[in-house]
Amino acid sequence: MKNRKTVIGNAVFFFLLFGLTAYAVLRGKELSELLKVLESVQPIYYITGFVVIIVFVCCESYIIHKMLRLLGYRHVPKRNCVKYSFVGFFFSCITPSATGGQPMQLYYMNRDRVDISVGTVILMIVTILYKFVLVFLGALIFLFRYPLVTDYIGSAAFFFYLGMLLNVFCVAFMLILVFEPTLASRIVLWLVQFLERIHILKKKEERLEKFQKSMTEYHKAAAVIKEHPVFIFRMFLVTLLQRILHFAITYLVYRAMGLSSLGWIDVIALQCVISISVDMLPLPGGMGISEGLFLSIFKKIFTGGLLYPAMLLSRGISYYALVFISAVMTGVAHITIKRKE
């Protein structure tokens, strides 16, 4: 009952935020003009966008499937790994800070007789790779596309630098957890005790128990990473491809609008800036802020009335279509993945 209330609450929050975002974005705009531009786009671009979204999700399912086989779970079919990924993306998209995705993935993995501890290790490594790739791309932008970024981000600079700082801190802490678990344990334990001492957190024994359990899972993840470095590097490359494909949807929209002055690397770099800016914010899919940053950063690129249609297309394919497809696949997963003894 508690989980059901949580899901309902997240859904209400999602639709409320969606309504506010739609109102803020479309207020005062001529819908007929927006529709006219959207209808002028050739269908092949829409089709390609949806294909890219499917491949984007399947990249994660490929990693999960390979990890399961590496850890001895050869009975799980590839199609179920695809379902796990869609379930994860759906609940990540509709919950603040994407907190709902992995618990629901674990639920369906456990239905397939995958031990909770093994599933946790797999999803932990997937998360580390996902975050690490974002920071890696951010570093490449700083090294090779920084003048481009400074020309276009304008007032969005604060969100970009804050997002980069938070992501670097998150990845650094994850790596400490994996490679220096003893040091990480001391840091977290000291932080929890400090917050309890200044009465920000109430003192609870079960909190320390949960912390110890989490550290055990990180130790297992560390063992997998250390024992299979070549395998992890290959999964890093898959995750890198996954991220680039997702960012490339904006370049697809750029070409669909008949524009060609910027290269694909530049457009992808600017879209990466948006993702870095919103990744750590406690909003479902960065809804609201992502649209605002798109309008701010790309206003010099999509000119002549193309900015709002471009934003609707880019976000429509990369996020809202992903939510819809993932919702359908989550229903399929619930029906087809039966609990196995």
Side-chain angles (χ1 to χ4, degrees):
M1 184 60 69
K2 183 179 179 181
N3 289 338
R4 188 178 300 174
K5 288 180 179 179
T6 301
V7 171
I8 293 173
N10 286 330
V12 170
F13 178 67
F14 171 81
F15 284 111
L16 178 62
L17 189 58
F18 173 76
L20 292 173
T21 300
Y23 174 76
V25 169
L26 300 177
R27 182 181 56 181
K29 306 297 182 300
E30 289 291 339
L31 294 182
S32 59
E33 293 297 321
L34 292 175
L35 291 174
K36 190 181 296 183
V37 175
L38 296 177
E39 288 172 357
S40 67
V41 175
Q42 296 180 15
I44 186 63
Y45 287 104
Y46 290 108
I47 296 170
T48 305
F50 289 125
V51 170
V52 169
I53 280 296
I54 300 298
V55 175
F56 166 73
V57 175
C58 288
C59 284
E60 180 182 292
S61 64
Y62 174 83
I63 296 173
I64 292 174
H65 182 256
K66 289 295 184 182
M67 289 289 298
L68 285 169
R69 291 179 66 84
L70 180 71
L71 298 176
Y73 286 81
R74 296 179 176 272
H75 68 276
V76 180
K78 291 180 181 179
R79 62 180 179 274
N80 281 12
C81 294
V82 173
K83 294 170 190 174
Y84 303 154
S85 295
F86 275 113
V87 167
F89 279 110
F90 173 66
F91 283 98
S92 292
C93 285
I94 67 171
T95 54
S97 301
T99 53
Q102 291 192 351
M104 293 306 298
Q105 284 179 297
L106 285 172
Y107 171 74
Y108 286 102
M109 291 171 79
N110 190 239
R111 278 188 168 193
D112 267 338
R113 292 185 289 117
V114 176
D115 189 83
I116 290 292
S117 63
V118 173
T120 301
V121 168
I122 291 172
L123 296 179
M124 198 174 289
I125 292 173
V126 169
T127 301
I128 291 172
L129 289 173
Y130 203 70
K131 292 282 188 184
F132 183 79
V133 164
L134 190 61
V135 171
F136 176 74
L137 289 173
L140 291 181
I141 289 172
F142 270 106
L143 289 173
F144 301 108
R145 285 297 186 274
Y146 189 71
L148 172 83
V149 169
T150 54
D151 285 343
Y152 287 100
I153 62 174
S155 59
F158 169 78
F159 292 100
F160 174 54
Y161 295 128
L162 176 63
M164 193 65 189
L165 181 65
L166 291 175
N167 275 287
V168 168
F169 175 79
C170 181
V171 169
F173 187 67
M174 283 181 170
L175 293 177
I176 291 174
L177 283 169
V178 170
F179 295 107
E180 295 292 339
T182 304
L183 174 61
S185 297
R186 290 176 180 173
I187 292 172
V188 175
L189 186 61
W190 176 85
L191 181 61
V192 170
Q193 291 174 339
F194 173 74
L195 294 175
E196 288 176 348
R197 196 159 49 245
I198 61 177
H199 305 294
I200 292 179
L201 292 177
K202 291 183 179 180
K203 192 169 184 178
K204 293 181 180 180
E205 292 297 327
E206 57 266 29
R207 182 182 292 118
L208 292 178
E209 291 177 6
K210 289 181 180 179
F211 163 67
Q212 293 296 339
K213 186 177 179 181
S214 298
M215 291 309 303
T216 300
E217 304 303 337
Y218 265 103
H219 293 170
K220 293 176 182 177
V224 173
I225 293 173
K226 290 176 180 178
E227 289 174 15
H228 307 280
V230 176
F231 173 85
I232 295 299
F233 179 71
R234 284 166 46 207
M235 297 305 103
F236 162 78
L237 294 179
V238 174
T239 308
L240 181 62
L241 172 65
Q242 180 191 26
R243 282 287 200 173
I244 291 174
L245 281 173
H246 198 225
F247 300 150
I249 290 173
T250 301
Y251 179 72
L252 188 68
V253 172
Y254 178 76
R255 296 293 297 168
M257 297 292 181
L259 304 173
S260 59
S261 58
L262 279 180
W264 65 273
I265 293 178
D266 294 333
V267 176
I268 289 175
L270 292 174
Q271 181 57 55
C272 182
V273 167
I274 295 176
S275 292
I276 291 171
S277 302
V278 305
D279 187 71
M280 298 294 289
L281 298 180
L283 294 169
M287 197 189 304
I289 187 67
S290 292
E291 286 81 1
L293 290 175
F294 187 100
L295 295 175
S296 175
I297 291 173
F298 284 99
K299 62 185 177 183
K300 296 179 181 179
I301 298 171
F302 293 102
T303 57
L306 297 179
L307 180 60
Y308 281 87
M311 185 273 293
L312 291 175
L313 265 181
S314 178
R315 283 290 284 169
I317 295 173
S318 64
Y319 178 68
Y320 296 102
L322 176 60
V323 172
F324 177 75
I325 297 171
S326 298
V328 173
M329 291 301 296
T330 297
V332 172
H334 192 74
I335 294 170
T336 58
I337 301 179
K338 304 295 184 181
R339 180 168 293 281
K340 301 175 181 65
E341 298 301 329

